[in-house]
Amino acid sequence: MASIKVTGRAPELARLRTTIERARVGRTTTVLVRGEPRIGKSTVLEAVAALAGEAGFQVAAAGARGGPDRPFAAAGQILGRLLATSSAVTAADGPPSPELLWKLTELVRAKSRHVPVAICLDDISHLDPWSLRWVLALSGSVFPTPLVIAVSEDDVSPVHGSSPRAELAASAEHIRLTGLPPAAVIEFAANRCGVTLGEESAAVCHELTGGNPGLLLALLSERAGTVLTAETVRATSGSAVLLGSERWLADLGEPALELARAVAVLGADAEITWAAELARLTVQDALCAIDELVDRCLLANRTPLTFRHPLLATMVVGAIPVGTRTALHLRAAEILRDGHFGMTGVARQLVAAGPLGLDWAVRPMRIAARQLAREGRAEDAARHLRGVLRERLRPRVRSAVRRELAELDAFVDPDLTVRQLEAARQEADDPEIATDYAVALAALLTECGRPVDAVAVLDDTAERLGPAPSAQSWRLRLHKAYVCLGGPAFLSGAADRLDDLVAERPRGQGALKELAGLRAAEAVHAGADRAAAVRHSRQALAGGGGGQARCFWHGCVTLIRADELTEAWAHCGRVRLADGARPGRWDHVTAELLRAMVCRVRGDLAGVAGALAPMADVLRSAAFASHVRAAPAVSLLAEARALMGDTDAALALLGDCGLDRELPWRQDTWAVLSARAVVWECVGELPRAVEDHLAAGRLLAECQVGNPSVAPWRSRAARLLAAAGETGRAARLADAELDEARRWGTPRAIGIAEHAVAMAESGARRIDLLATAAGTLARSPARLELAAARCDLGTALAEAGRLHEACIEFDAALSTAESCGARPLARRIAIARQEIRPADIRESVHPNLPELTPQELKILCLARDGHTNRAIAGKLFVTVRTVEFHLSGAYRKLGISGRQQLAQLLPETVVNTTAATTAPTTAPTTAATTTAAAMTATAMTAVAPLPQRAGG
């Protein structure tokens, strides 16, 4: 029996073996194999015959075909094969009667006196009535030797009342077949179809067919000798008429066939009333047709109406003649439109119908495309837009649709999209259309880090338009100014002066919006008039119109720089993706990046990770492709993770995207350097952090950006330099930033600069300046910077002996740092707070800590705080091998396996007390050492929001 194998039917075969073994002891056994059409019932009956033959049974099998005009037809076939004589067949051809029924039953009994018998009949729903009575008589009789009767029946033929079939079903042991599991689909495809499937493609096959072997054959039989991906399987399922549809649709009544077509055409929109109207049936007739389709295993027994397996819908649609199918899709679109069912459903039907020259069809397809893109279904959105382009369109509408499609295509293949937009620009004869294409192409080139090429496109288009002033030439000059705004220094002189553009602005809301976005960005660059910057940003974000992407970016960034965070957050919701959806356009990524920037300003590190982490895979690949939004987004995510204590993940993210090495000049390089410097601080590589901050400052200065709200690089570098003892240099940087911050006027920028100025001072002067900085930051949204400033203030107060005031500052700083999710900063604040707390309320320590050497304890504390082995070695001026040696010894003494357990065994509030206990010969903790530690902590945590590109 071990040689009998049917793919995916191991449980059923096991039951059949048990049944046959039970029959061998003398009991007559009837087995009824049920399942939907083509589920593999015949194959299982063949397995029954093989198992019975191996067990010593004489097997007779036949197809159950017959009718009233051929009584005992199936019985005659079975007896002929069982007795191996033609007399049995001749005897079954006599007139039907109870006597003949008894005679044929006795023939089986006589045969069973010599050998056990197994009878297999396939599809008893087609069995002639007298043969069915004969099978029922056999199943209820007692025979000298074992008798096994195995029959099959489709689920499409329900049994009712007290008919012979019902009696046979009641006395039989049922084996109900369901679809093959996904793992068995792989084996079935290889063995039966010669197709190689992976786990993902097998899952798609299972989704389409429910594991039905007949449907799998229809799907895969034409692809023998190939390796199919999930995408290929889906394409195969809808690419052509599939084999086998006639088996499912045969013998359907006309109403049921029309309703099946209607449900297949409507798809997910197949409510009963819509389907009935499309099939031109009354609701009552439709209900009867639904019951028939459910009984035939075509429809699932639920509403909304849906096919039992998606591939069945494809089969039904494929079997409809193309003209009829187009008419059905068009009528379905009209029904859904008139019923106000929703633009997405209407548009799906219009796309399926193809171009029909209908004026009303364009609007729903464009609306649906935008909705699908918002839901993360970029491919479906692109298909709808391509459907629009197949219609007869006015040139301006066609241009707008092609640019919408380019936004989707640019997310997947920006180089191809550049070529397509350039071809469209060259083909355009209308000046306005050519300008639209040029602006879209220049924006894409700028986003891909090619500002010089963007300027060339705009200049070439302006030359084609001629020297005469026009709204189009003004718009080209405006967007050239946009490109030069964040470009290299040699481009800055190529753009028109802002005052000239303002003076020559044409009328129209679109021109006002585009100009307002540029003026907002210029105001942020200058950093002198915050109120004007906010006013311009609100004009750029108001209503609709041209230049939407640039206006949106510069407007929202300006609001963030101006600390108008609630307003910026609300605007981000305009293009935000639906929850759980994957981005399909760069404005979706832009919206999440802006939300992350708002969270970073507020000190909500978990919010930063929540906005950007779901897009990490997309951002990684885009960072390599040099998109100007991707690299800043990756570096901002790395910064947040480092500040949360996950430095290993932050370093890995930068390394994966190639951002941990020397970077070429690009519009986004300064933003990456600024965020990367924070990561270096958090891992203890302070010289590299200072170098990156100063490099970011040089790039911003080249772009004539001095506003510290863009990137407070001076104050960040100043705090690090002050901690390293270079107070003179630190003071010069901090004083320069404070002047710029006061010009801009936001409490966040001023408070961050005041904090840096204070760290370059000492004594009472430092305390006064830190108190001023903390008060200023308390009026700002920058909670993380406030926590760092109060930590430094507490340290300075402790150094001056004002312990009670220091405790108050430490407690407030600790609460704020914990609410921000800045675990390393919170640990350092807790350590500083513990040092000045009375000894009798200090927490107890791990009993094995006294066994640690002072060096082991130092290394453990640094490892617990998230420092890598290399960073620890640099801090303690030892080799990496020495660090690994001490860690191994300490782990052994504490009975742990790695640094993940250190947070529990080394509470941050007892570290310095423990150090004093375990190392009595070391110098006692002093205010000076506390100050140095707190200064380092501040340098590693007090940072400002990550800007994304110069001027906004």
Side-chain angles (χ1 to χ4, degrees):
M1 292 185 184
S3 62
I4 306 301
K5 182 179 179 182
V6 180
T7 302
R9 299 300 184 196
E12 289 84 356
L13 291 181
R15 284 188 59 189
L16 290 171
R17 286 190 179 99
T18 302
T19 299
I20 291 172
E21 289 296 329
R22 188 168 62 246
R24 292 180 65 181
V25 302
R27 176 181 174 185
T28 299
T29 302
T30 304
V31 177
L32 176 59
V33 181
R34 290 182 63 90
E36 65 184 31
R38 313 210 60 195
I39 197 65
K41 299 182 294 294
S42 299
T43 303
V44 171
L45 282 184
E46 291 172 4
V48 172
L51 290 171
E54 289 187 354
F57 286 74
Q58 182 169 347
V59 180
R65 295 295 172 183
D69 57 331
R70 291 189 62 205
F72 292 114
Q77 291 181 46
I78 292 292
L79 290 171
R81 292 168 186 174
L82 189 64
L83 304 177
T85 64
S86 59
S87 58
V89 178
T90 304
D93 286 339
S97 64
E99 292 76 14
L100 182 56
L101 175 64
W102 176 83
K103 177 181 177 181
L104 297 180
T105 304
E106 287 301 310
L107 288 174
V108 177
R109 186 188 304 277
K111 181 65 178 180
S112 68
R113 291 192 180 97
H114 308 289
V115 64
V117 174
I119 296 173
C120 299
L121 278 168
D122 195 7
D123 197 359
I124 62 170
S125 60
H126 293 91
L127 199 63
D128 62 87
W130 283 97
S131 291
L132 182 59
R133 294 182 186 180
W134 174 71
V135 173
L136 181 61
L138 292 176
S139 67
S141 303
V142 178
F143 290 86
T145 58
L147 174 64
V148 173
I149 302 172
V151 296
S152 69
E153 183 176 47
D154 281 344
D155 279 340
V156 301
S157 306
V159 179
H160 304 289
S162 58
S163 65
R165 280 179 57 201
E167 293 181 35
L168 183 63
S171 62
E173 177 179 346
H174 287 245
I175 294 181
R176 186 174 188 83
L177 300 184
T178 57
L180 302 177
V185 169
I186 297 177
E187 183 181 355
F188 181 90
N191 295 340
R192 296 290 303 275
C193 307
V195 173
T196 301
L197 299 176
E199 290 187 3
E200 186 176 355
S201 53
V204 173
C205 286
H206 190 273
E207 173 192 337
L208 294 171
T209 65
N212 183 296
L215 293 178
L216 286 170
L217 284 171
L219 179 64
L220 303 175
S221 59
E222 299 296 321
R223 305 304 297 265
T226 60
V227 178
L228 297 185
T229 64
E231 293 76 14
T232 307
V233 171
R234 291 194 185 279
T236 300
S237 70
S239 61
V241 177
L242 296 170
L243 301 176
S245 59
E246 66 283 350
R247 292 175 178 249
W248 292 82
L249 303 179
D251 302 327
L252 280 178
E254 187 64 25
L257 180 60
E258 291 301 321
L259 190 72
R261 290 177 170 181
V263 173
V265 166
L266 286 169
D269 303 323
E271 296 289 351
I272 292 176
T273 52
W274 306 132
E277 185 174 355
L278 183 58
R280 302 184 187 278
L281 299 173
T282 66
V283 173
Q284 187 61 44
D285 290 341
L287 294 175
C288 295
I290 289 169
D291 288 344
E292 181 179 350
L293 293 172
V294 171
D295 287 344
R296 294 289 299 271
C297 297
L298 282 165
L299 294 186
N301 192 21
R302 62 175 180 269
T303 56
L305 301 178
T306 182
F307 279 86
R308 194 159 182 166
H309 306 301
L311 193 65
L312 291 173
T314 303
M315 285 182 164
V316 172
V317 170
I320 304 174
V322 62
T324 304
R325 184 165 66 242
T326 300
L328 284 172
H329 282 300
L330 177 58
R331 178 166 165 75
E334 294 170 344
I335 291 171
L336 295 175
R337 178 200 62 185
D338 296 342
H340 304 287
F341 195 79
M343 290 296 183
T344 303
V346 175
R348 184 167 55 248
Q349 297 298 333
L350 291 171
V351 170
L356 297 172
L358 302 173
D359 292 338
W360 65 269
V362 174
R363 180 172 176 270
M365 284 195 283
R366 293 185 70 180
I367 293 174
R370 293 170 191 149
Q371 179 62 32
L372 290 167
R374 188 180 178 89
E375 294 171 0
R377 298 164 58 185
E379 292 182 2
D380 291 338
R383 185 166 60 252
H384 280 61
L385 291 176
R386 291 188 181 97
V388 174
L389 292 173
R390 293 159 62 191
E391 298 286 348
R392 292 199 303 266
L393 302 173
R394 295 191 303 274
R396 288 284 296 154
V397 175
R398 181 171 296 277
S399 168
V401 174
R402 289 183 72 174
R403 284 182 280 117
E404 284 185 59
L405 182 59
E407 291 182 10
L408 295 171
D409 291 340
F411 190 77
V412 179
D413 192 342
D415 292 336
L416 175 61
T417 307
V418 165
R419 293 194 295 271
Q420 291 173 341
L421 285 174
E422 174 62 13
R425 182 182 75 90
Q426 295 290 351
E427 294 169 2
D429 296 327
D430 184 283
E432 189 172 355
I433 294 176
T435 300
D436 288 339
Y437 282 129
V439 168
L441 178 56
L444 177 57
L445 289 169
T446 305
E447 290 174 354
C448 293
R450 299 165 58 184
V452 176
D453 292 340
V455 169
V457 166
L458 295 170
D459 286 346
D460 178 71
T461 308
E463 185 177 348
R464 287 175 56 192
L465 295 182
S470 66
Q472 286 73 42
S473 63
W474 179 90
R475 189 163 175 236
L476 291 170
R477 292 161 54 206
L478 173 71
H479 282 273
K480 183 176 178 180
Y482 265 121
V483 175
C484 296
L485 181 68
F490 69 85
L491 283 180
S492 59
D496 289 52
R497 294 175 60 251
L498 181 60
D499 292 341
D500 294 339
L501 292 171
V502 173
E504 300 172 21
R505 176 180 69 84
R507 295 181 179 181
Q509 185 67 22
L512 176 63
K513 280 171 52 66
E514 292 180 309
L515 180 60
L518 179 63
R519 298 179 74 178
E522 289 275 12
V524 171
H525 270 203
D529 193 344
R530 174 185 172 277
V534 172
R535 184 174 64 255
H536 294 318
S537 69
R538 287 170 177 162
Q539 291 174 346
L541 293 167
Q548 186 69 19
R550 277 179 170 157
C551 293
F552 176 73
W553 171 255
H554 288 293
C556 287
V557 168
T558 300
L559 291 174
I560 294 171
R561 306 294 186 223
D563 288 352
E564 300 290 344
L565 303 184
T566 301
E567 192 173 349
W569 186 270
H571 283 293
C572 291
R574 286 164 41 187
V575 295
R576 191 187 178 199
L577 279 168
D579 290 340
R582 286 181 59 83
R585 294 194 321 218
W586 276 110
D587 58 354
H588 299 150
V589 177
T590 297
E592 293 305 311
L593 174 56
L594 290 167
R595 289 166 63 88
M597 292 168 61
V598 171
C599 291
R600 178 62 190 88
V601 171
R602 289 172 172 167
D604 181 8
L605 300 177
V608 176
L612 298 178
M615 301 188 297
D617 291 340
V618 172
L619 294 174
R620 282 191 185 95
S621 58
F624 273 113
S626 302
H627 195 282
V628 295
R629 298 284 184 268
V634 167
S635 56
L636 179 55
L637 178 58
E639 176 188 349
R641 286 177 169 170
L643 292 172
M644 295 170 73
D646 196 355
T647 53
D648 289 342
L651 290 171
L653 184 60
L654 292 176
D656 290 346
C657 297
L659 301 179
D660 59 346
R661 61 201 70 166
E662 185 176 353
L663 301 174
W665 187 97
R666 284 165 42 88
Q667 300 103 305
D668 58 350
T669 302
W670 66 266
V672 176
L673 290 170
S674 183
R676 188 176 74 178
V678 178
V679 179
W680 296 144
E681 295 170 24
C682 291
V683 299
E685 299 192 26
L686 303 188
R688 298 181 73 179
V690 172
E691 181 183 349
D692 274 359
H693 283 313
L694 296 178
R698 287 191 294 271
L699 292 176
L700 287 170
E702 182 182 331
C703 296
Q704 301 178 358
V705 179
N707 190 340
S709 72
V710 176
W713 60 273
R714 296 183 185 88
S715 61
R716 296 178 180 181
R719 285 194 292 271
L720 293 174
L721 291 169
E726 298 187 48
T727 54
R729 190 181 177 192
R732 288 191 297 273
L733 287 171
D735 289 341
E737 179 158 308
L738 183 57
D739 291 341
E740 295 288 348
R742 286 172 174 161
R743 289 180 64 215
W744 182 242
T746 59
R748 172 166 60 95
I750 296 171
I752 291 172
E754 289 175 341
H755 185 186
V757 170
M759 297 310 295
E761 300 289 344
S762 61
R765 174 69 173 162
R766 173 182 286 184
I767 293 175
D768 292 342
L769 290 174
L770 282 172
T772 300
T776 304
L777 287 169
R779 300 193 303 273
S780 81
R783 294 183 301 138
L784 185 56
E785 287 71 19
L786 174 61
R790 300 196 78 163
C791 173
D792 284 339
L793 177 57
T795 300
L797 290 168
E799 181 181 355
R802 297 159 62 176
L803 301 185
H804 178 69
E805 295 173 77
C807 285
I808 294 175
E809 295 299 329
F810 283 140
D811 288 342
L814 180 60
S815 175
T816 304
E818 289 177 340
S819 69
C820 292
R823 291 186 290 271
L825 176 60
R827 282 196 291 267
R828 288 165 175 77
I829 296 171
I831 291 170
R833 175 67 176 85
Q834 182 64 26
E835 289 177 349
I836 62 175
R837 183 181 295 183
D840 58 350
I841 63 173
R842 293 182 183 178
E843 299 180 43
S844 61
V845 300
H846 189 280
N848 293 341
L849 286 183
E851 299 180 14
L852 300 177
T853 67
Q855 188 76 337
E856 287 175 338
L857 186 60
K858 290 179 185 178
I859 291 174
L860 283 181
C861 293
L862 291 171
R864 179 206 58 196
D865 292 343
H867 295 284
T868 63
N869 289 355
R870 185 175 67 171
I872 295 172
K875 278 179 167 289
L876 301 181
F877 303 101
V878 297
T879 65
V880 175
R881 284 185 63 87
T882 300
V883 172
E884 295 171 347
F885 172 79
H886 283 300
L887 283 175
S888 298
Y891 292 165
R892 186 172 60 254
K893 292 176 183 179
L894 296 177
I896 62 177
S897 59
R899 63 179 66 201
Q900 293 84 0
Q901 299 165 266
L902 291 176
Q904 297 177 347
L905 297 182
L906 288 177
E908 52 278 332
T909 56
V910 302
V911 170
N912 291 320
T913 302
T914 305
T917 303
T918 59
T921 61
T922 59
T925 302
T926 64
T929 60
T930 303
T931 301
M935 288 168 66
T936 301
T938 302
M940 296 174 63
T941 53
V943 294
L946 171 66
Q948 302 307 307
R949 56 180 288 190

